[in-house]
Amino acid sequence: MKRLCQNLPRRPVSRYSLTFILTVLSCSCPALGKKKLYIGALFPMSGGWPGGQACLPAAQMALDLVNNRTDILPDYELELIHYDSMCDPGEATKLLYDLLYTEPIKIVLMPGCSSVSTLVAEAARMWNLIVLSYGSSSPALSNRQRFPTFFRTHPSATLHNPTRVQLFQKWKWTKIATIQQTTEVFTSTLDDLEERVKEAGIEISVRQSFLTDPAVAVKNLKRQDARIIVGLFYETEARKVFCEVYKEKLYGKKYVWFLIGWYADNWFKIKDPSINCTVEQMTEAVEGHVTTEIVMLNPETVRGASNLTSQEFLAQLMSKLGGKNPEETGGFQEAPLAYDAVWALALALNKTVGPLRAKGHRLEDFNYNNRDITAEIYRAMNTSSFEGVSGHVVFDAQGSRMAWTLIEQLQGGSYKKIGYYDSTKGNLSWYGNDKWIGSGPPADQTVVIEEFRYLSQKLFVSVSVFAGLGILLGIVCLTFNIYNSNVRYIQNSQPYLNNMTAVGCMMSLAAVFPLGIDGLHVHRKQFPIICQFRLWLLGLGFSLAYGSMFTKIWWVHTVFTKKDEKKDKKKHLEPWKLYATVGVLLGIDILSLMIWQIVDPLHITVEKFTREAPKGDLDVLIQPLLEHCNSEKMNTWLGVVYGYKGLLLLLGIFLAYETKSISTEKINDHRAVGMAIYNVAVLCMITAPVTMILSSQQDASFAFASLAIVFSVYITLVVLPAVVIDALWSFHMRRLITRGEWQSDAQETMKTGSSTNNNDEEKSRQLERENKELQKIIQEKEERVSELRNQLSERQALRSRRRASTITNQNHSPPPFSITQSDPRSLAPPPGYPAPASDPHPVPQSFANSSSLYQSDSKISRNKCHTSRLQLLYK
């Protein structure tokens, strides 16, 4: 047989005879034992994408290794028949015809460009051919109904989308925007992205497209406040887009742009006459954008099916290229994909040998009408899974390669790797040592940070100190009233009412503390209790403090303002009436507060203010919030309370004015009470409306309300005890000066019945001076009256003598009438007065009747002066 093989006839034979001879020889001759399987390939060596320049050498490297392996297709040899498609569908149509209608039969077709692959894959179904592409990324090729036998080791452009969705979810973005160039590859990619983000619960809020000029589309992105933007366009259009981005200021820390990663590294620095932006402006605009790029070279050092690492493969490829510059060699990045495509085909064919033999078929029996062999090859390709130099090779249900995706970011003018995404396992590997540019990724929209406004702690502490001192002052006043309750001057000021005033003042001051407590100090669940506490302390404190003062003024006005002054002496002021009045006012407040809290209890409401933008280029807005104590019908309740208490305040002012000139020992401090009522009423009437207006300003509202409480309480606690203390001090000082000794208040009460008005020390001293002056005037008047009476008596006696002598001398007859001698007692001076001396001067007739002024029942002594005559003598 060996000899037969060496002496084969050398004459021409027909095609069928040759086939028969080769078949026989393949069974009989060891040298001709491997049967050839032919692969028809279209490598674009020129044209728009000259990827065949590097992909063809890589495929030939793979074929050599496969054919030399004894464990892969040991009975077969793969041979590549290739043509230059120039990445042109028209040229590819002609070449496809040659491949199909020229011997030998091709078992698989391997096109390159997406446009060529579309043509080949759509026609291959008619010849039952499997199509395996190494350089097609169009998402349209993933249509199994249109391309039922198509596979590719180059991932689809839609493989960027799972990576993008993973990044959106990692950074918690729920709203994105897109801008695309209107071409089929980008439109289909965007349609796929829209489906994926919808499944992930992410919304595409803005979708813009353009054909050649992106200016309007970029302006619309700015107008609709797009923040996370996915850009799908070619490199030349990318420069146009980012020139407009710079003009619209659609870049910086607030924005993130996602671009395709297969642009040149310096694409934004290339001079382009179609844009009017400088390199510096473009560099500023593109800073920080993120790219996603299919990993076409395995980043890990592993030996796959070819027993080569990715770095060893690159070294052999560089040797096969003969030292060409990789950046100037078309398809250099896609070369690992072409290498793994050959390996995927070889492994799939190797996998079909056994099943075909079981069915009585062989790979060499393949023809364009044998669907069984095609189906078996399809099944083997569909289940491919191995480690290649481009990474793990596996196909999805649409025949597209599942590969890793490289994530990069432009930082400082150069691209930095920030992570990988393995779409086969759904694993996102993040580079922990590389940081996102700036402080971190922005939000998909303006971040609104809720921030509660709390009361200034310095203000709260300062006011609390004054309130605490006021409470101590109230305790002092209360202690003073209780200790001196037996003193008559203290008793005349109604000490029990003063005690109520002090207690009410202390309760009002205690309300300052819950007024300053907010969500910073207590939990929200306990805050309604603080609200109730505020209301009850203020309500009851006001009723006790103001109610007791109002009661004094009310009864002073009721009892002592009568037209008939004589009734003043008969009026009697009973203490129980005073206490009952305070009780009524207090009961009204307690009843109204109970009804309020039962019908419409207080609860927390949160007021939202206008959002504020912090300083700096941060995509953050502050949402100020303020807690309020509120109820469903708050205005109605406040209207009732303010109306009732407002009437009390107005009536208190009126009564204080009406009683300002009344002097009574029953309530000897009513003038000071009136002064306190004036101050409290004015402060309350100003504070109530102002605090309602300033309710949205926590510091101002608290300061105004709390200081009004503090001031009104201080005035009340200082004025009322001061008057009583001053009166008591003046009384004892006057007693010490005039009598030289102290007497008990009980003895003084028995000895004196006069009513003394003790408003202040100066008035008391003035009364002392007036008393001395009146005594001097009375003494002078008494001496003058005594002198006039003596003169009158002497002149009456002299006139009588003269008249009698004249009548005797002229008529010598008895007088027509006799002058009766006056009663000596009538002319005698009052007891205790000296006898009148003779007065040679005549007395006018008008003084003759003046003696009627001095009757026995109205004698004037030095130490006693009737009050009805005192004013006349003083004048």
Side-chain angles (χ1 to χ4, degrees), residues 400-441:
S400 297
R401 166 77 178 277
M402 301 292 290
W404 283 35
T405 307
L406 171 63
I407 308 166
E408 295 182 314
Q409 185 183 31
L410 189 68
Q411 300 180 6
S414 61
Y415 286 99
K416 304 292 184 182
K417 295 179 181 179
I418 60 175
Y420 284 97
Y421 176 68
D422 184 0
S423 58
T424 61
K425 300 179 181 178
N427 183 27
L428 180 63
S429 301
W430 200 251
Y431 276 28
N433 296 329
D434 290 309
K435 296 181 179 179
W436 182 278
I437 185 171
S439 58

Side-chain angles (χ1 to χ4, degrees), residues 673-726:
V673 171
M675 184 186 303
I677 287 177
Y678 289 146
N679 294 321
V680 172
V682 171
L683 287 173
C684 290
M685 290 181 178
I686 294 175
T687 303
V690 171
T691 51
M692 293 182 67
I693 296 173
L694 299 178
S695 61
S696 298
Q697 303 177 27
Q698 72 280 8
D699 288 349
S701 178
F702 172 77
F704 208 91
S706 58
L707 291 179
I709 294 173
V710 170
F711 289 157
S712 59
V713 167
Y714 267 72
I715 292 173
T716 303
L717 292 179
V718 170
V719 169
L720 295 184
V723 173
V724 177
I725 294 173
D726 179 69

Side-chain angles (χ1 to χ4, degrees), residues 157 160-161 163-164 167-168 179-180 186 228-235 237-239 241-242 245 256-264 267-268 282 285-294 405-410 415:
H160 296 269
N161 294 334
T163 307
R164 292 167 179 149
L167 294 177
F168 299 159
I179 178 173
Q180 64 157 110
F186 299 131
I228 313 302
I229 309 168
V230 178
L232 302 174
F233 29 71
Y234 288 114
E235 181 178 322
E237 278 67 27
R239 285 189 284 270
V241 169
F242 276 88
V245 166
V256 177
W257 282 86
F258 281 84
L259 302 181
I260 303 171
W262 40 258
Y263 299 163
W267 64 271
F268 53 91
M282 291 291 293
V286 301
E287 179 68 14
H289 77 266
V290 177
T291 64
T292 53
E293 183 179 359
I294 304 302
T405 307
L406 171 63
I407 308 166
E408 295 182 314
Q409 185 183 31
L410 189 68
Y415 286 99

